């Protein structure tokens, strides 16, 4: 065990946790050194809790071609539901996002039927999904610490078979979320919490 650094200030870490925000608008270009920051963030993501040590997470960095294909696919889905104008608006909006990272969960090939269902409380798939969510949080916090913003998104496009083809997902791999990243255009104020500490922190005898 490593000894705790007596000069370290615990609030520094808590400040990172509490100051992270979901960013909706980014500057058009990724900042200098973003590749290194992203690799560091992914490295930090790998240290997320993982009960069975299955390491189910996968990280797919999309290039310009894949980004446009995903944006056009999403626009077509929106167009079918809400019309061409809505689809075009969404296409223009999504093409403005500079960084795209798709995080997936790759299920174990040796898990039995009981371990392959999210409906089963103790299933391996549920534990793996939880581990991937922890990994995403680590990643977003690391990027935030590097001065970059993120938005964890999911939607119908992520679960469309055509999306899997664009990203090159395997059959036993499903999407946990698309992480948009880049330099924040504006950092929003923290939203008001709906519940107090007294509401969520229960002490038992």
């Amino acid at each position: 065990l490593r000894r705790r650094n007596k000069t370290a200030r615990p609030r520094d870490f808590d400040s990172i946790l509490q100051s992270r925000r979901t960013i909706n608008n980014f500057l058009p270009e990724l900042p200098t050194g973003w590749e290194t920051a992203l690799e560091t963030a992914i490295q930090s993501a790998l240290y997320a809790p993982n009960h069975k040590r299955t390491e189910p997470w996968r990280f797919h960095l999309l290039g310009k071609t894949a980004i446009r294909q995903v944006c056009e696919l999403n626009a077509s889905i929106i167009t079918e539901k809400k019309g061409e104008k809505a689809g075009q608006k969404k296409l223009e909006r999504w093409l403005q996002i500079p960084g795209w990272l798709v995080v997936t969960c790759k299920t174990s090939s040796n898990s039995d039927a009981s371990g392959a269902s999210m409906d089963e409380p103790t299933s391996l798939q549920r534990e793996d999904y939880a581990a991937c969510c922890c990994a995403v949080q680590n990643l977003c916090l690391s990027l935030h610490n590097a001065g970059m913003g993120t938005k964890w998104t999911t939607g119908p496009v992520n679960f469309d078979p055509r999306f899997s083809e664009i990203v090159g997902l395997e059959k036993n791999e499903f999407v946990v979320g698309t992480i948009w990243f880049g330099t924040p255009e504006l950092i929003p104020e923290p939203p008001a919490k709906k519940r107090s500490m007294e509401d969520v922190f229960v002490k038992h005898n």
Side-chain angles (χ1 to χ4, degrees), residues 101-114:
L101 184 73
V102 178
V103 182
T104 64
C105 181
K106 189 172 182 180
T107 57
S108 176
S109 58
N110 59 5
S111 61
D112 57 26
S114 63

Side-chain angles (χ1 to χ4, degrees), residues 11-21 23 37-38 40-41 44 137-150 182 184 187:
R11 285 297 304 172
D12 288 351
F13 183 65
D14 287 334
S15 295
I16 294 170
L17 296 178
Q18 295 173 19
S19 61
R20 186 209 62 80
R21 300 284 177 269
I23 303 300
L38 180 61
T40 299
S44 294
Q137 175 73 342
N138 281 10
L139 182 139
C140 291
L141 288 170
S142 178
L143 288 176
H144 168 55
N145 188 47
M148 298 173 67
T150 58
I187 300 177

Side-chain angles (χ1 to χ4, degrees), residues 12-152:
D12 288 351
F13 183 65
D14 287 334
S15 295
I16 294 170
L17 296 178
Q18 295 173 19
S19 61
R20 186 209 62 80
R21 300 284 177 269
T22 294
I23 303 300
N24 290 301
N25 297 302
F26 302 87
L27 297 182
E29 300 295 331
L30 290 170
T32 301
W34 69 268
E35 296 98 331
T36 300
L38 180 61
E39 289 178 3
T40 299
I42 292 175
Q43 187 65 44
S44 294
L46 304 184
Y47 284 86
N50 181 208
H51 184 198
K52 299 293 184 179
R53 301 184 67 181
T54 54
E55 300 182 2
W57 36 68
R58 299 294 185 272
F59 306 88
H60 300 263
L61 178 62
L62 304 191
K64 291 182 178 180
T65 300
I67 290 172
R68 175 164 283 278
Q69 290 176 333
V70 169
C71 291
E72 291 178 346
L73 172 59
N74 183 66
S76 70
I77 294 173
I78 297 296
T79 297
E80 290 177 4
K81 293 182 177 180
K82 299 182 179 180
E84 186 174 348
K85 186 177 181 180
Q88 182 61 31
K89 183 177 180 180
K90 185 67 70 172
L91 175 61
E92 294 173 359
R93 158 70 178 147
W94 277 32
L95 286 173
Q96 295 175 354
I97 306 300
W100 292 66
L101 184 73
V102 178
V103 182
T104 64
C105 181
K106 189 172 182 180
T107 57
S108 176
S109 58
N110 59 5
S111 61
D112 57 26
S114 63
S117 173
M118 290 285 281
D119 295 330
E120 174 57 46
T122 60
S123 70
L124 182 61
Q125 185 170 4
R126 181 181 282 199
E127 291 193 351
D128 282 351
Y129 177 70
C132 287
C133 290
C134 291
V136 170
Q137 175 73 342
N138 281 10
L139 182 139
C140 291
L141 288 170
S142 178
L143 288 176
H144 168 55
N145 188 47
M148 298 173 67
T150 58
K151 181 173 183 176
W152 180 354

